[in-house]
Amino acid sequence: MSPEPSGEDDPDLGPGADLAAWGAVLDALERDLTVAGGPAWSEPTGLGPVPRELVGRASRLLAAQRDRTATLEAERRQVLEHLGALRAVSATREPRGSVYLDASA
């Protein structure tokens, strides 16, 4: 994400094409950040460097993604601890045989 002036726009697409394309990519990433399990993401191609005008936004998005990753990792660890506790309880139970009640008495 090195900042580059947006003056190096794709001549075939006209001025501001890089800015618009990067803006669309960042919009999609920001939407996906709030969706649990978000869609599969693949790196966009042919965009070139992030325009200078969008570096701050891209940096904030990266920080938000790192925060979300840390939260998910903490939740994953907690679930693993809970599963470990459940398995430990199950391992201490003695197998029980059938129990019969004599109702004739």
Side-chain angles (χ1 to χ4, degrees):
M1 277 193 313
S2 63
E4 291 292 327
S6 60
E8 297 179 17
D9 293 325
D10 186 335
D12 296 332
L13 300 177
D18 284 348
L19 190 63
W22 269 107
V25 168
L26 294 177
D27 288 343
L29 288 171
E30 287 168 344
R31 274 191 312 273
D32 295 347
L33 186 62
T34 61
V35 177
W41 184 79
S42 59
E43 182 179 354
T45 59
L47 288 179
V50 177
R52 185 174 303 280
E53 296 91 336
L54 296 178
V55 169
R57 181 179 173 194
S59 295
R60 287 186 299 277
L61 178 58
L62 179 60
Q65 287 175 329
R66 287 182 176 153
D67 290 345
R68 181 69 177 136
T69 299
T71 300
L72 290 172
E73 182 58 29
E75 291 173 359
R76 185 186 74 82
R77 280 192 306 273
Q78 185 177 28
V79 167
L80 288 174
E81 288 174 9
H82 290 173
L83 286 173
L86 289 173
R87 287 184 183 119
V89 169
S90 294
T92 60
R93 290 189 181 157
E94 294 180 23
R96 291 187 168 187
S98 299
V99 177
Y100 297 97
L101 174 64
D102 184 0
S104 64

